[in-house]
């Protein structure tokens, strides 16, 4: 294949190979890799054919600008409280039934994701689904993966459903003799994909999805902390008598930390406490058995081996602290910082007891752990700090209020709607209709919607900018020039020529299916955005060489990129449910792999029937 390749083609292939390695290994963040691509393409212009202006053209790309605007519009809709209100109604309707809970989760999330960015939707629904699973007596693992998959499926319904759809529209306008893709141009196929995916999740997928977290597990059991939480008592005559509790909380011995003081049947946080130790006081200590023994010997304390530390111990209603599970979202300011650098303990009276990451539990040496998107933290915190995290978005609570209390309360109290809800919804409908009817290009319609959201008070400027996942935007803007370099150096044509060779032995429909399968594999490894940028130019070139419908090949690549189910890193929502569901990597392969193969066939058949090849 590379025998006739030019020097420029080989240079671009080398850059792509380096980028793929960095995307897969995540040695550096993907958005930083994308910035490196921009620099390399411009620095190597004599070979890549991409000037400095071309290298940064991704930032001015209409798809990039549209995606920024859609993040903001989604934030305006989320601020109305409609999603929370829908979650409460969902919980009330499905209470106590696993079947109804699963069906409602999938059937509700999918349609929403067709119009609103699915990442915040999934973030809002995770606590609801977790509580719903508890109320229904099922493992949350059985519902959270379908939640993510339904959000992914819903993205195929409209042009604005996912960033890959918008990118594909841009490619359709530049690589094919036609304009951008219409708002609902492929919605018929999207409905079929959503229907088939839903049927799979409710039948085969339901049986394949594992119950990783026991339905009745408390948090201590869920994070396997039995050996890392210990009661110690202050005996008469102890050297620690009169010592401030906060002194023990702040001065650790070999990693052991005092979390709570229990006196007269009540508990209080140790951090910041001005109480002094008395004879008979009981302390709850977090640490390895060795570190607890070191603390016990240093402070002249006694271990209470016959008393077990449970959820109720740490989160009893009489204490001034709460035990919670918290997810690290992609917008968190804590991402990339070690726990020590976040100063959660000092500033927010919050102690991280364990971290669930990619199927593993981290329970020791946590101060040196660098937080990543998707980490699930077991925290001991205060109600005030929990409220702050919810407001700032730095951490997303996965253990929401008790479902019984939520459902028994007035819905207007627990899920109030903003007075500007009709305005925000009207603006969103106007954006969709203006783009669908061709009154305005989708990018202008989206920007107009953002303008109206802000001037009508539905969205503040700071909330608008804060809603954008800038790492995704930089990734998008950074990889777009790669497609440009592939075209200019002949790289896309060279790969297309190799794939076209399969047309000598395979029918066109089979070649179309092959593109779907290859694209799906790449999307699960290097992100859907990068995959669309690399594969669409190749697919369109291959279609031209085969003398077939280029738009059909473009659509197959688009749908295959947008439906990446087989790994937790292929799509952001998969990463979000990875920790809360207690999943292992192989779970996504086992449940998502068959779904991806099924949809590859369905999509190929649908494109062939609707658009022809």
């Amino acid at each position: 294949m590379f025998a006739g390749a030019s020097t420029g083609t080989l240079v671009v292939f080398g850059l792509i190979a380096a980028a793929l390695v960095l995307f897969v290994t995540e040695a550096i963040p993907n958005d930083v890799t994308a910035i490196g691509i921009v620099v390399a393409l411009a620095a190597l212009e004599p070979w890549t054919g991409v000037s400095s202006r071309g290298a940064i053209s991704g930032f001015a790309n209409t798809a990039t600008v549209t995606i920024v605007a859609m993040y903001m519009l989604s934030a305006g809709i989320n601020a109305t409280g409609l999603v929370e209100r829908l979650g409460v109604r969902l919980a009330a309707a499905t209470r106590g039934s696993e079947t109804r809970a699963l069906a409602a989760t999938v059937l509700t999330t999918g349609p929403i994701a067709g119009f609103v960015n699915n990442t915040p939707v999934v973030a809002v629904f995770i606590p609801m689904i977790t509580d719903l699973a508890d109320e229904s007596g099922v493992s949350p693992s059985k519902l959270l993966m379908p939640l993510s998959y339904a959000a992914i499926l819903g993205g195929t319904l409209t042009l604005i459903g996912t960033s890959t759809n918008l990118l594909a529209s841009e490619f359709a306008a530049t690589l094919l003799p036609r304009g951008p893709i219409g708002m609902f141009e492929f919605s018929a196929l999207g409905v079929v994909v959503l229907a088939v995916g839903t049927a799979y999740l409710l039948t085969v997928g339901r049986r394949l999805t594992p119950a990783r977290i026991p339905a009745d597990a408390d948090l201590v059991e869920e994070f396997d902390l039995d050996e890392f939480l210990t009661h110690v008592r202050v005996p008469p005559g102890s050297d620690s008598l009169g010592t401030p509790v906060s002194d023990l909380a702040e001065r650790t011995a070999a990693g052991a930390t005092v979390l709570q003081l229990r006196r007269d049947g009540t508990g209080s946080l140790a951090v910041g406490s001005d109480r002094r130790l008395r004879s008979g006081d009981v302390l709850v200590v977090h640490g390895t058995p060795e570190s607890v023994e070191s603390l016990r010997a240093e402070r002249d304390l006694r271990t209470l081996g016959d008393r077990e530390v449970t959820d109720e111990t740490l989160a009893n209603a009489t204490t001034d602290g709460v035990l919670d599970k918290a997810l690290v979202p992609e917008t968190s300011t804590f991402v990339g910082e070690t726990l020590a650098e976040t100063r959660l303990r000092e500033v927010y009276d919050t102690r991280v007891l364990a971290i669930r990451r990619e199927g593993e539990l981290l329970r020791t040496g946590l101060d040196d752990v660098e937080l990543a998107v998707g980490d699930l933290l077991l925290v001991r915190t205060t109600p005030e700090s929990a409220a702050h995290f919810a407001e700032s978005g730095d951490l997303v609570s996965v253990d929401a209020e008790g479902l019984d209390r939520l459902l028994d309360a007035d819905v207007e109290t627990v899920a109030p709607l903003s007075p500007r809800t009709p305005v925000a919804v009207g603006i969103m409908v106007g954006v969709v209709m203006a783009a669908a009817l061709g009154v305005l290009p989708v990018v202008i319609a989206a920007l107009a919607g953002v303008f109206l959201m802000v001037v009508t008070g539905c969205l503040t400027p700071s909330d608008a900018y804060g809603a954008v996942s800038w790492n995704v935007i930089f990734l998008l803007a950074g990889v777009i020039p790669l497609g440009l370099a592939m075209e200019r150096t002949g790289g896309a044509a060279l790969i297309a020529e190799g794939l076209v060779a399969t047309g000598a032995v395979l029918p066109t429909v089979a070649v179309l299916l092959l593109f779907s399968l290859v694209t799906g594999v790449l999307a699960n490894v290097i992100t859907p955005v990068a995959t669309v940028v690399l594969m669409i130019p190749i697919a369109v070139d291959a279609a031209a060489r085969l003398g077939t419908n280029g738009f059909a090949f473009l659509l197959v690549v688009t749908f295959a990129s947008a439906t990446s189910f087989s790994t937790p890193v292929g799509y952001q929502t998969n990463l979000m449910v990875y920790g809360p569901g207690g999943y292992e990597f192989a779970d996504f392969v086992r449940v998502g792999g068959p779904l991806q193969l099924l949809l590859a066939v369905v999509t190929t058949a649908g494109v062939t029937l609707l658009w022809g090849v």
Side-chain angles (χ1 to χ4, degrees), residues 528-564:
V529 166
T531 301
V532 159
V533 170
L534 293 176
M535 289 299 295
I536 282 184
I538 295 171
V540 171
D541 195 289
R545 292 171 182 272
L546 287 169
T548 59
N549 184 354
F551 186 59
F553 275 72
L554 180 144
L555 281 180
V556 162
V557 169
T558 302
F559 272 77
S561 298
T563 51
S564 49

Side-chain angles (χ1 to χ4, degrees), residues 123-400:
V124 169
F125 268 65
I126 284 177
M128 290 286 185
I129 297 302
T130 301
D131 279 339
L132 186 58
D134 181 64
E135 175 69 15
S136 302
V138 301
S139 166
S141 312
K142 300 290 286 185
L143 298 180
L144 289 174
M145 189 180 289
L147 169 68
S148 174
Y149 285 177
I152 296 172
L153 290 166
T156 64
L157 291 175
T158 69
L159 177 65
I160 60 176
T162 70
S163 56
T164 53
N165 295 349
L166 291 164
L167 268 176
S169 178
E170 182 72 10
F171 276 116
T174 57
L175 299 181
L176 296 171
R178 52 159 294 154
I181 299 174
M183 176 66 71
F184 300 109
E185 190 168 349
F186 52 71
S187 294
L189 181 57
V191 170
V192 173
V193 167
L194 178 59
V196 172
T198 298
Y200 172 88
L201 292 175
L202 294 177
T203 54
V204 177
R206 177 179 180 179
R207 288 191 288 271
L208 292 177
T209 305
R212 291 295 178 193
I213 297 176
D216 56 351
D218 66 16
L219 294 180
V220 172
E221 179 184 353
E222 180 181 332
F223 284 83
D224 198 15
L225 280 176
D226 294 345
E227 296 183 4
F228 296 83
L229 292 170
T230 310
H231 279 113
V232 297
R233 181 173 57 84
V234 182
S238 170
D239 294 341
S240 291
L241 290 175
T243 302
V245 178
S246 58
D247 185 46
L248 271 71
E250 295 165 3
R251 296 177 56 193
T252 63
T257 304
V258 176
L259 300 176
Q260 186 187 90
L261 166 68
R262 300 195 67 80
R263 176 183 295 167
D264 299 327
T266 63
S268 59
L269 285 178
V271 176
S273 174
D274 58 359
R275 296 185 176 187
R276 295 180 178 271
L277 291 179
R278 301 176 185 172
S279 175
D281 282 348
V282 174
L283 305 173
V284 178
V285 182
H286 173 251
T288 63
E290 294 77 14
S291 63
V292 173
E293 176 59 24
S294 177
L295 176 66
R296 186 202 65 75
E298 177 187 334
R299 293 293 185 166
D300 192 19
L301 305 171
R302 298 291 181 268
T303 302
L304 297 177
D306 59 344
R307 186 179 298 187
E308 183 181 5
V309 180
T310 66
D311 272 11
E312 292 185 7
T313 308
L314 295 174
N316 191 282
T318 58
T319 68
D320 53 1
V322 294
L323 193 64
D324 197 7
K325 288 189 296 185
L327 186 71
V328 180
E330 62 178 341
T331 55
S332 174
T333 59
F334 298 146
V335 173
E337 294 186 345
T338 64
L339 271 181
E341 291 170 339
T342 63
R343 303 192 68 203
L344 284 170
R345 184 168 50 198
E346 296 84 355
V347 177
Y348 302 105
D349 287 344
T350 297
R351 174 74 180 182
V352 178
L353 307 181
I355 300 175
R356 187 184 293 278
R357 171 184 293 174
E358 298 182 0
E360 296 184 5
L361 276 174
L362 308 177
R363 291 160 297 187
T364 59
L366 298 182
D367 280 348
D368 298 324
V369 174
E370 189 174 289
L371 293 181
V373 175
D375 283 351
L376 184 69
L377 314 180
L378 177 62
V379 297
R380 181 69 161 74
T381 187
T382 65
E384 294 76 19
S385 292
H388 168 77
F389 295 140
E391 179 70 23
S392 67
D394 284 330
L395 295 175
V396 176
S397 175
V398 178
D399 255 11

